[in-house]
């Protein structure tokens, strides 16, 4: 069934964001087992089932207009959430080309791209935009190329330069991160920007992941899921605004948690940018309230077990220690305990 | 998991010198993927005795995806890959290639790029130069060759304000002074070498003498694997024994019996094909494994067992 | 102080300075024991840059760097703020990390307030109030070489501006 784009809902203030029953069904629930396992879980990003979030490289869903509006709001207050170091210019154009090409192929009802040499015409019917420009000439666009295209797409983007046997976060558009800051982490190596993650370094997880990522080849992207929890459907849980949203974690009660607490899943997608040899790291975030989530009984049961058994260190890192006991207690009603979680 | 191959047609073959031919490859069923300067492809060559996979640098313009171009030097001591390309392949033939991968990319942080080529090693720098001239990136090219034999592209290399070209024809007794090239360079300079092993070693030595750290040096070290002695290999988990011929690599022998290992460079640099072994003598020929790992693992794309003992792999 | 993590900077000791054909030395003002030992250890012809003020204009270092060639090793000695200012200047001039030795000779350092994006000098304390936006910050071990600063994040989100 073709997606219908909803009118704009909000990820702040009155938090009018909701998932339709269709959006709930296609939510990328991240736990394939009843038990939580810590693993690298990277896989080739082969096209998934039609209608699923894995069908296309860049997933556009019913929240498209809301997310675009939210990004514009963040940028109007904090324009530096988009950052491109001078040596990343070509990677920015690579990104624009990859996004325009895939969006117009995969969603012809909303996007179209006409190319005549370096004279390009981009049409975005979903936002009612049309732009003729010269590919490679930043002055022919209203914004720098990375900013121009990522203002029209869901999800955050980091562009990683590959040199000296490492990956360097030297460009990006990050307006909805799970408690990190592009402005602070920019210029860091893969090892450095993962420094705050507990446990995994000792396990050698990042060393292995880095080798794998550096070998990603053109047209053979990979993906993985990551997760945390967020209070309210708030997309901008950046470090920058932590002093504005952090207090919401202590407002969780047994009565309000079903509406307030959200599972936040990141579909991370990594693709080689052909001309620059940089790596595109896209982070597409999906939010679902517990109330919406428990409409799928197997998910409710699994989430109960995962949260119950999560090591304290990880719960602290993910920032959910404060309200975890309440949530586990509430989710217990969906878990038959002795049996497997069944559909 | 190896990426799926691309079907191409050899649309043009041009003799550049008595020993170097250029091949133009056009896609058959899908568009060619984009690539960055320094990328290579693997070409599958169905020689009469077996299928070889050789890596070649892409020399064409990265902005032009209507075709890929490679240049191949006829190697006297080769295992037949270059001979097959020179003598058997005709315009209109169909071949298979892997998508491009890059193990020799220019550093985005360098402010001045010194490119040093020997003979057929000019190929990756053809793509480098096209891109650097287009983007106005500062560079200089030093190209040593033998006039009348390996002088491919000499006429095509036009100097530019942001990219000087110096050529050295050994027939005319012109010698490259690496010390002179490296002396007096600005702090933002990095050097790239592609050519015979002795050229690489000479640059490494001179750079070390001048106090340049290794991080300023980049090289394209892979070549088709050198032939060696025949040897036996035993696969412990599958309980299977294979014979590896003098002119095939261990990786090729494994592939011939349907054991596919990940691989990118087939030249001992990328680290993809690393394989643990349990016993036997190994002739390590790669540039990847640290000595500390050599007693446990080997790179089957280039390294071999000794001819009088059986190599036992953990496969 | 909490544990070092992979982004926490590491500094070299004098004994670890590698051999190089030429040295350039950037010394923060104030004569410390480390500076005296460094001058003794490095060859006589070593070029020296020692600005008068502690908070020096590091772009002056650039003039010296422009006259250098690969093979030059830069030793930087001072507090963390001075070290990273110089290091970033040298990196922009083309010097690689392998060509620099960073020697910490004093305790001064900087925090970056992640909420208002401003830098401020701090002591070794783990808690500080942001001079620019007033948020009470906890200083993490997470360090940005580009900014030359430790990450400062709101200490208590329930009371970002402390008791007033
Ligand atoms: S395939 Fe690259 S090292 Fe063997």
């Amino acid at each position: 069934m073709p997606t219908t784009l909803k009118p704009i809902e909000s990820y702040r203030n009155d938090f009018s964001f909701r998932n339709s029953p269709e959006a709930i069904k296609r939510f990328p629930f991240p736990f394939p087992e009843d038990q939580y396992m810590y693993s690298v879980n990277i896989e080739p990003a082969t096209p998934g089932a039609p209608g699923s979030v894995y069908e296309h490289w860049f997933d556009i869903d019913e929240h498209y207009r809301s997310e675009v509006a939210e990004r514009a709001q963040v940028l109007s207050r904090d324009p530096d959430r988009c950052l491109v170091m001078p040596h990343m210019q070509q990677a920015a154009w690579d990104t624009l080309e990859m996004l325009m090409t895939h969006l117009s192929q995969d969603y012809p009802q909303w996007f179209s791209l006409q190319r005549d040499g370096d004279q390009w015409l981009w049409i975005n019917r979903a936002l009612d935009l049309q732009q003729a420009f010269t590919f490679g000439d930043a002055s022919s666009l209203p914004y720098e190329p990375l900013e121009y295209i990522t203002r029209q797409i869901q999800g955050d983007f980091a562009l990683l330069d590959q040199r000296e046997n490492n990956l360097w976060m030297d460009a990006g558009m990050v307006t909805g991160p799970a408690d990190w800051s592009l402005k602070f982490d920019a210029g860091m190596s893969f090892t450095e920007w993962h420094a705050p993650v507990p446990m995994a370094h000792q396990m050698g997880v990042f060393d292995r992941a880095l080798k794998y990522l550096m070998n990603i080849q053109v047209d053979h992207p990979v993906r993985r899921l990551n997760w945390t929890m967020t209070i309210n459907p708030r997309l901008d849980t950046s470090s920058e605004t932590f002093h504005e949203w952090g207090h919401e974690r202590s407002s969780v009660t047994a009565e309000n948690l079903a509406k307030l607490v959200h599972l936040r899943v990141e579909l991370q997608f990594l693709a080689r940018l052909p001309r620059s040899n940089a790596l595109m790291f896209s982070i597409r975030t999906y939010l679902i309230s517990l109330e919406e989530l428990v409409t799928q009984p197997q998910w409710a049961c699994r989430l109960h077990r995962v949260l119950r058994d999560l090591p304290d260190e990880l719960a602290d890192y993910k920032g959910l220690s404060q309200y975890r006991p309440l949530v586990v207690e509430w989710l217990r009603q969906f878990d038959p305990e002795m049996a497997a979680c069944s559909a | 998991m190896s990426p799926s191959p691309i079907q191409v047609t050899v649309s043009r073959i041009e003799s550049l010198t008595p020993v170097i031919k250029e091949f133009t490859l056009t896609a058959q069923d899908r568009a060619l993927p984009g690539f960055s300067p320094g990328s290579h492809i693997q070409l599958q060559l169905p020689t009469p005795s077996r299928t070889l996979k050789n890596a070649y640098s892409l020399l064409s313009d990265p902005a032009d995806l209507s075709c890929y171009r490679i240049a191949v030097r006829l190697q006297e001591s080769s295992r037949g890959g270059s001979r097959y390309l020179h003598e058997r392949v005709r315009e209109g033939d169909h071949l298979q290639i892997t998508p491009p991968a890059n193990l020799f990319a220019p550093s985005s942080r360098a402010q001045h790029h010194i490119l040093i080529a020997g003979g057929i090693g000019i190929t990756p720098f053809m793509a480098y130069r096209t891109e650097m001239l287009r983007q106005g990136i500062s560079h200089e090219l030093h190209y040593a060759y033998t006039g009348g034999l390996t002088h491919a592209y000499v006429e095509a290399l036009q100097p530019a304000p942001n990219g000087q070209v110096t050529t050295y024809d050994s027939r005319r007794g012109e010698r490259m002074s690496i010390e002179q090239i490296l002396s007096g360079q600005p702090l933002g300079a990095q050097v790239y070498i592609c050519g015979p092993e002795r050229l690489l070693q000479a640059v490494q030595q001179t750079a070390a003498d001048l106090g340049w750290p290794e991080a300023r040096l980049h090289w394209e070290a892979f070549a088709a694997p050198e032939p060696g002695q025949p040897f036996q290999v035993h696969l412990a988990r599958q309980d299977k024994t294979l014979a590896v011929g003098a002119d095939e690599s261990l990786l090729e022998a494994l592939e011939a019996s349907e054991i596919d290992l990940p691989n990118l460079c087939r030249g001992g640099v990328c680290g993809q094909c690393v394989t643990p072994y349990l016993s036997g003598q190994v002739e390590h020929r790669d540039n990847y494994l640290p000595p500390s790992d050599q007693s446990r693992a080997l790179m089957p794309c280039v390294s071999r067992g000794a001819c009088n003992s059986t190599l036992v792999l953990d496969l | 102080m909490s544990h070092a993590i992979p982004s926490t900077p590491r500094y070299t000791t004098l004994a670890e300075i590698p051999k190089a054909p030429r040295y350039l030395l950037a010394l923060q003002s104030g004569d410390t024991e480390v500076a005296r030992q460094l001058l003794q250890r490095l060859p006589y012809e070593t070029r020296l840059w020692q600005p008068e003020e502690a908070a020096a204009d590091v772009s002056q270092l650039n003039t010296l760097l422009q006259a250098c060639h690969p093979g030059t090793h830069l030793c930087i000695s001072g507090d963390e703020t001075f070290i990273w200012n110089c290091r970033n200047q040298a990196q922009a001039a083309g010097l690689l990390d392998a060509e620099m030795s960073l020697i910490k000779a004093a305790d001064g350092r900087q925090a970056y307030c992640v909420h208002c994006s401003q830098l401020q000098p701090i002591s070794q304390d783990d808690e500080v109030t942001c001079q620019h936006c007033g948020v009470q910050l906890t200083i993490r071990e997470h360090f940005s070489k580009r900014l030359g600063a430790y990450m400062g994040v709101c200490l208590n989100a329930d009371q970002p501006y402390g008791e007033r």
Side-chain angles (χ1 to χ4, degrees):
Chain A
M1 209 189 73
T3 311
T4 315
L5 304 185
K6 284 184 168 188
I8 294 179
E9 297 171 330
S10 62
Y11 295 92
R12 55 179 70 216
N13 304 324
D14 63 338
F15 296 107
S16 61
F17 171 93
R18 298 290 178 277
N19 286 299
S20 70
E22 293 75 41
I24 294 175
K25 277 202 197 76
R26 73 196 294 279
F27 188 85
F29 188 73
F31 309 113
E33 313 275 340
D34 287 357
Q35 249 57 51
Y36 177 61
M37 307 232 291
Y38 200 94
S39 68
V40 181
N41 72 338
I42 309 179
E43 60 175 18
T46 47
S52 75
V53 300
Y54 306 115
E55 182 181 5
H56 302 303
W57 281 20
F58 305 101
D59 182 42
I60 300 292
D61 70 8
E62 63 180 21
H63 306 298
Y64 177 72
R65 291 197 178 100
S66 310
E67 240 185 86
V68 166
E70 165 69 14
R71 168 156 293 158
Q73 282 207 40
V74 174
L75 287 170
S76 67
R77 190 177 144 186
D78 193 358
D80 296 341
R81 297 286 192 97
C82 183
L83 180 157
V84 181
M85 294 189 187
H87 62 278
M88 297 303 279
Q89 275 308 317
Q90 193 173 27
W93 284 106
D94 256 354
T95 304
L96 176 133
E97 174 167 12
M98 183 181 279
L99 286 170
M100 287 188 176
T101 307
H102 281 266
L103 291 180
S104 58
Q105 274 165 15
D106 297 337
Y107 304 96
Q109 69 274 38
W110 297 317
F111 308 105
S112 92
L113 176 66
Q114 290 158 35
R115 300 169 56 156
D116 178 12
D118 61 1
Q119 297 305 303
W120 292 27
L121 176 66
W122 168 248
I123 299 171
N124 179 339
R125 281 178 280 273
L127 299 176
D128 204 13
L129 292 172
Q130 178 161 332
Q131 180 73 44
F133 66 99
T134 307
F135 186 84
D137 175 6
S139 69
S140 64
L141 285 171
Y143 303 100
E144 176 287 324
L146 181 68
E147 177 165 355
Y148 178 76
I149 191 59
T150 54
R151 272 177 177 267
Q152 299 177 44
I153 190 159
Q154 295 174 263
D156 284 342
F157 288 82
L159 306 187
L160 317 179
D161 190 26
Q162 183 158 333
R163 61 174 196 272
E164 298 151 36
N165 265 317
N166 215 320
L167 295 167
W168 305 82
M169 194 174 337
D170 288 349
M173 164 69 95
V174 179
T175 57
D179 200 6
W180 62 281
S181 158
L182 174 68
K183 269 187 279 182
F184 190 76
D185 286 356
M188 290 190 190
S189 70
F190 185 81
T191 328
E192 288 168 349
W193 88 71
H194 283 105
V197 183
M199 291 162 64
H201 290 282
Q202 294 87 317
M203 293 163 67
V205 169
F206 291 122
D207 294 342
R208 268 175 287 140
L210 174 61
K211 281 200 175 141
Y212 184 88
L213 300 183
M214 287 198 303
N215 278 318
I216 290 176
Q217 291 172 55
V218 173
D219 284 345
H220 290 79
V222 305
R223 67 178 166 232
R224 70 180 285 257
L225 293 178
N226 199 8
W227 69 277
T228 184
M229 303 194 92
T230 300
I231 306 307
N232 286 317
R234 183 185 286 280
L235 211 44
D236 182 16
T237 51
S238 57
S239 307
E240 281 88 339
T241 49
F242 173 70
H243 59 312
E244 293 167 9
W245 55 264
H247 69 91
E248 291 175 353
R249 302 193 293 204
S250 53
S251 64
V252 177
T253 65
E255 290 67 44
N256 67 15
L257 66 82
K259 285 194 165 46
L260 222 54
V261 178
H262 287 66
L263 177 63
R264 179 189 191 100
V265 175
E266 295 180 352
L267 171 52
Q268 304 182 343
F269 173 89
L270 293 109
R272 178 68 57 197
L273 293 167
R275 287 283 294 281
S276 58
N277 200 42
L279 202 60
M280 170 202 279
F281 180 15
S282 85
I283 306 158
R284 177 75 167 79
T285 296
Y286 297 85
L287 290 163
I288 190 169
S289 68
L290 291 184
E291 188 176 58
E292 290 168 343
L293 184 140
V294 301
T295 61
Q296 314 296 309
Q298 190 188 15
W299 292 357
C301 171
R302 279 195 177 160
L303 184 61
H304 171 250
R305 296 185 185 187
V306 167
L307 286 180
R308 183 192 60 196
D309 303 339
L310 190 71
D312 288 343
E313 218 177 339
L314 281 179
D316 278 345
Y317 169 67
K318 290 179 187 286
L320 38 93
S321 301
Q322 247 177 318
Y323 54 86
R324 170 162 76 149
L326 281 176
V327 173
V328 171
E329 178 56 30
W330 183 76
L331 282 172
R332 197 152 62 92
Q333 59 182 307
F334 304 98
D335 188 345
E337 302 275 0
M338 299 313 287
C341 301
S342 58
Chain B
M1 205 199 66
S2 310
S4 49
I6 304 169
Q7 311 290 333
V8 294
T9 304
V10 180
S11 55
R12 187 178 146 90
I13 301 176
E14 196 184 342
S15 277
L16 301 177
T17 79
V19 296
I20 298 175
K21 282 187 176 179
E22 182 188 283
F23 298 80
T24 303
L25 312 173
T26 12
Q28 287 167 11
D29 49 358
R30 62 178 212 207
L32 291 170
F35 69 98
S36 47
S39 297
H40 72 273
I41 52 162
Q42 284 178 23
L43 192 54
Q44 271 197 27
L45 302 169
T47 69
S49 52
R50 63 176 189 281
T51 299
L52 288 175
K53 292 182 186 166
N54 285 2
Y56 296 101
S57 296
L58 295 177
L59 64 90
S60 43
D61 180 355
D64 176 9
L65 297 180
S66 65
C67 66
Y68 289 159
R69 287 186 295 136
I70 59 169
V72 179
R73 183 191 169 158
L74 182 64
Q75 303 284 359
E76 283 314 327
S77 67
S78 95
R79 307 158 318 129
S82 68
R83 183 163 300 280
Y84 181 85
L85 272 164
H86 269 253
E87 292 169 3
R88 304 288 286 267
V89 172
R90 301 271 173 270
E91 288 182 358
D93 282 1
H94 295 175
L95 290 172
Q96 282 198 351
I97 61 172
T98 59
N102 200 340
L103 300 169
F104 188 48
S107 166
S108 61
R109 280 298 192 88
Q111 295 160 9
H112 180 65
H113 304 259
I114 305 163
L115 318 178
I116 301 181
I120 191 66
I122 190 67
T123 51
F125 297 143
M126 297 300 289
Y128 265 58
R129 256 181 72 81
T130 307
E131 197 65 68
M132 288 175 172
L133 289 174
R134 178 166 36 230
Q135 293 188 31
I137 295 171
S138 167
H139 66 282
E140 59 186 77
L141 171 68
H142 299 270
Y143 177 23
Y145 58 88
T146 309
L149 193 69
T150 60
H151 57 284
Y153 304 112
V154 168
E155 291 85 41
L157 295 168
Q158 291 303 319
N162 68 319
Q164 292 198 349
V165 177
T166 316
T167 56
Y168 309 83
D169 181 351
S170 64
R171 279 271 161 87
R172 293 209 230 133
E174 295 164 359
R175 298 252 315 150
M176 180 189 283
S177 162
I178 296 162
E179 191 176 335
Q180 216 168 43
I181 295 172
L182 297 188
S183 300
Q185 290 287 352
L187 278 188
Q190 301 202 14
V191 58
Y192 306 77
I193 309 121
C194 186
E197 184 70 19
R198 56 191 154 69
L199 175 68
L200 171 61
Q201 282 171 3
V203 179
Q204 284 173 320
Q205 187 57 53
T206 309
D209 292 346
L210 292 171
W212 291 43
E214 270 211 12
R216 284 190 183 271
L217 269 53
H218 311 265
W219 61 88
E220 178 83 300
F222 66 76
E226 301 274 313
Q229 301 290 321
F231 63 99
Q232 294 249 314
V233 57
H234 182 72
L235 312 179
R237 297 190 199 200
Q238 313 195 3
D239 193 22
K240 213 168 160 184
T241 303
L242 308 173
V244 184
D247 62 353
E248 67 181 334
S249 72
L250 173 54
L251 182 63
E252 286 163 350
L254 290 167
E255 286 172 342
S257 53
E258 321 260 272
I259 299 159
D260 285 322
L261 297 178
N263 64 87
L264 215 52
C265 68
R266 301 179 83 87
V269 287
C270 74
Q272 286 277 293
C273 67
V274 63
T275 303
Y277 70 94
L278 303 170
S279 66
Q281 272 176 33
V282 178
E283 201 184 309
H284 292 280
R285 296 176 168 190
D286 63 282
N287 292 305
Y288 178 80
L289 278 182
S292 54
D293 289 352
Q294 289 186 344
S295 57
R296 290 181 288 112
L298 82 165
M299 313 307 289
C301 60
V302 287
S303 298
R304 312 178 63 84
C307 63
N308 43 13
S309 76
T310 302
L311 178 64
V312 183
L313 297 182
D314 193 7
L315 282 178
Chain C
M1 294 262 285
S2 37
H3 296 297
I5 56 173
S7 61
T8 316
R10 260 164 286 218
Y11 299 99
T12 15
T13 62
L14 298 190
E16 286 168 324
I17 298 173
K19 280 226 160 358
R22 285 173 307 279
Y23 294 90
L24 178 62
L25 174 59
L27 262 186
Q28 194 171 25
S29 71
D31 58 348
T32 62
E33 173 59 17
V34 185
R36 198 188 54 76
Q37 288 177 22
L38 254 173
L39 287 167
Q40 225 167 50
R41 183 177 275 265
L42 294 177
Y44 179 70
E45 353 35 279
T46 296
R47 311 240 5 214
L48 172 68
W49 179 64
Q50 188 169 27
E52 309 253 294
E53 337 76 61
D57 173 12
V58 292
S59 65
Q60 292 166 5
L61 177 59
N62 199 32
T63 318
L64 284 177
L65 287 166
Q66 290 310 321
C68 293
H69 306 290
T72 306
H73 191 88
L74 173 65
C75 298
I76 308 170
S77 172
D79 67 14
E80 291 192 75
T81 308
F82 180 80
I83 288 176
W84 292 99
N85 277 340
C86 292
R87 181 268 194 183
N88 289 340
Q89 185 75 47
Q91 194 186 49
L95 219 59
L96 307 178
D97 279 330
E99 296 166 311
M100 291 186 243
S101 295
L102 314 182
I103 300 128
K104 190 177 147 187
D107 276 345
R109 57 179 194 152
Q110 293 190 105
Y112 170 87
C113 172
V114 76
H115 310 298
C116 70
S117 308
Q118 300 293 321
L119 294 167
Q120 71 183 41
I122 55 165
S123 66
Q124 297 304 299
D125 291 346
D126 284 348
E127 288 171 21
V128 47
T129 302
C130 176
Q131 291 167 356
H132 305 93
C133 69
V135 170
Q136 280 202 301
L137 302 174
T138 173
I139 307 302
R140 297 198 181 155
E141 294 302 300
H142 197 30
F143 183 84
S144 161
K145 294 175 176 167
R146 180 178 71 100
L147 301 166
Y150 293 86
M151 188 178 194
V153 184
C154 174
L155 170 68
N156 177 357
D158 288 319
Q159 259 175 342
Y161 300 96
E163 273 118 333
R164 285 275 161 84

